[in-house]
Amino acid sequence: MVRLFLVIGFLLLTATARAAVDGEELFARHCSACHGSNGNGGVGVPLALPSFINSVDDEYLSKTIRIGRPGRIMPGFVELDDAQVTAITAYLRSWATKPAPARDNTVVKGDVKHGQVLFSSHCAQCHGEKGKGGKGTGVTFSRKRDLPIIAPALNNPGFLAAATDSMIRNTVLHGREGTPMNAASKAGLSKKDVNDLVAYVRSFADAYQKPAYQQSGHQQQISQPTEEDAVIVMESPYSLAETVENVKLAITNQNFTLVRTDFLDHGLVTEGKENKNQVVLHFCNFRFLFDALVIDPRVGMFLPCRVTVVESAGKVSVMAINPLRLSKLFNNDELDEACKHMHEIYTAILEDAVL
Amino acid sequence: MMKRLLICTFVMLQTISAQADELIMVRSQQKFPEAMLTLQTSVKEHGYTVTRVQRIDVGLTGMGYHTDKYRVVFVAKPDEMHYLIKKYPLLIPYMPPKVSIFAENGESVLVTANPALFAKMINDEHDKAIFHRWQNDIQEVFDDVRKAD
């Protein structure tokens, strides 16, 4: 009998130990890449600052985990079960210096119009016009940017679904110590001003325009290339060698620098044995590359730019990835512009080469 | 004059909402050179070849842009990649798969496109399985780097 109790006791102990470890392990696996090993930030904002974690309720955290920040890099973690989300939330809570505030769903009433005026003069310089967020996200130590912490998007459906009016009001009233976000009083704003700002921020929920690809009913068109196509391909009427030369010229015409030409299976087979019918041209524009990395350091994966010329069964074709697909892959609306620009450039280079 | 845009009839993604697993991303507490070594060692242990290391930071710094260490590592299994691009030429622009690795505040961050995305570009179940194996392998490799200290 005693033995049985011992065994049960032991099982219970290991079970609680596992649960306690879980939150930390889940954070390391799913969150630390962006929010830092100790919650001190990265591509994501810092989470360990007492001024943040002390001021938000558990539901704010769990909803943020579930929904993420659509179009602002943070994905929604739909595949985690409730126990896992609770464990992560509890782990975040371990950085707090006070008990979690209760969720307060009181609606804050204010003058949206006046809030809008105040927002333009006091908030938009960091949070962007209409609260679309600062340039880039989170914290970076690796490349120069405007602020030590980039202001989050406030018009984001993930933020608006997670935050209560009272959380927004408290954040604006008290600011977040240790971040560029100052208390309202420092800017000479009254409590009424703050309420007006809350009402304005809340009104973003109506104004937010989903990117086309997130709108329901958006159907893939088979007959037209769209942003969902993974690649851009054109057939060339020229020989492989001629097409390669054409691509080189087209790259220069677009003000890009040819970095390197090699074979697709370079490094995969012994030198000299490569398939000479698959030629890769790498090219770059450093200003563009740098700007893209400041917005989202992860995009380097698809840079420098690349066009591949392939000859197969006597047919020569030129191909490239479709950059329009990338802003979606990275869940980053800010990349939209850059990706559209790249799409135009790729298309122009390919068209130029086969003309 | 021949100028024809071929239509790609496959769609890369059915689910278009922001989902957590389209990119695989981890942070390692190792400094950049150590993390790079752990990555390359684990890649080889998993039977893959590093076909190239692209030094993005060197190009940028050379042009006067300040940036910390940033490399792109090309990773492939020769036989499987040859087989796949022969059968599915539209995969070519995405091959070989790449891993970004960059320094951040004395630590290192790794990111790659989930190979499962490539599986969505093709139909054959048997061939899809290859990409799902790549996915498992890269996840293991990334775990190795994440847990290394």
Side-chain angles (χ1 to χ4, degrees), chain A residues 25 28-29 32-34 36-37 41-43 75-77 79 141-143 213 220 222-223 225 228-235 237 260 262 264-269 278 286-287 289-290 293 297-304 306 308 310 319-322 325 328-331 351 354-355, chain B residues 1-13 16 18-20 22-23 25-27 29 49-52 54 56 59-60 63 65-68 70 72 74 76-78 81-82 85 89-90 92-96 98 100 102-105 107 109 111-113 117 121 139 143 146-147:
Chain A
E25 165 63 16
R29 171 174 287 268
S32 73
C34 292
S37 307
V43 174
F77 290 85
E79 80 289 0
F141 314 92
S142 313
R143 278 159 291 278
Y213 63 80
Q220 166 68 15
I222 300 297
S223 56
E228 268 140 50
D229 291 322
V231 292
I232 315 172
V233 193
M234 290 183 202
E235 250 171 45
R260 193 178 69 240
D262 61 19
L264 182 67
D265 49 5
H266 164 99
L268 275 176
V269 295
Q278 299 166 338
F286 288 99
R287 161 99 244 157
L289 171 58
F290 185 74
L293 290 181
R298 302 170 302 165
V299 298
M301 194 167 39
F302 291 104
L303 298 165
R306 156 180 166 184
T308 312
V310 180
M319 41 174 63
I321 59 166
N322 179 3
R325 181 61 189 76
K328 215 174 348 175
L329 182 63
F330 289 103
N331 181 29
E351 283 180 346
V354 303
L355 194 75
Chain B
M1 206 68 14
M2 172 90 185
K3 186 179 92 176
R4 198 155 72 85
L5 193 67
L6 290 189
I7 282 92
C8 328
T9 49
F10 56 83
V11 180
M12 201 159 173
L13 254 203
I16 44 212
Q19 279 199 359
E22 292 195 354
L23 292 174
M25 190 173 168
V26 295
R27 175 184 297 267
Q29 296 200 27
T49 309
V50 171
T51 71
R52 177 186 292 285
Q54 179 107 42
I56 303 278
L60 279 172
M63 296 299 285
Y65 295 99
H66 168 77
T67 176
D68 209 331
Y70 199 124
V72 177
F74 295 50
K77 266 200 173 141
M81 190 181 113
H82 279 133
I85 59 178
L90 289 173
I92 285 176
Y94 288 90
M95 296 293 129
K98 301 182 207 173
S100 283
F102 54 94
E104 201 179 77
N105 202 25
E107 300 184 333
V109 176
V111 55
T112 192
L117 286 173
M121 293 168 64
Q139 212 115 38
D143 275 348
R146 174 167 70 85
K147 290 178 178 155

Side-chain angles (χ1 to χ4, degrees), chain A residues 95-172:
Chain A
W95 292 317
T97 52
K98 309 198 264 215
R103 191 158 176 94
D104 175 356
N105 285 311
T106 319
V107 174
V108 170
K109 294 212 173 82
D111 177 349
V112 176
K113 280 250 160 66
H114 186 232
Q116 179 171 13
V117 174
L118 293 173
F119 193 89
S120 299
S121 54
H122 290 87
C123 322
Q125 71 265 38
C126 295
H127 287 283
E129 53 170 308
K130 301 198 174 112
K132 70 179 171 120
K135 187 173 174 211
T137 57
V139 185
T140 190
F141 314 92
S142 313
R143 278 159 291 278
K144 266 213 180 67
R145 300 198 303 178
D146 301 345
L147 280 175
I149 305 174
I150 303 295
L154 302 177
N155 72 350
N156 191 276
F159 170 70
L160 291 170
T164 61
D165 287 4
S166 95
M167 176 271 185
I168 300 174
R169 177 167 58 189
N170 285 333
T171 304
V172 182

Side-chain angles (χ1 to χ4, degrees), chain A residues 9 12 91 117 227 288 309 323 339 341:
Chain A
L12 281 175
Y91 178 67
V117 174
E227 60 190 53
F288 182 80
V309 184
C339 288
H341 182 60

Side-chain angles (χ1 to χ4, degrees), chain B residues 3-4 20 25 29 38 42 44 62 89 98 119 123 127 132 141:
Chain B
K3 186 179 92 176
R4 198 155 72 85
M25 190 173 168
Q29 296 200 27
T38 311
S42 179
K44 282 172 203 146
K98 301 182 207 173
N123 283 324
D127 293 339
H132 290 122
V141 169

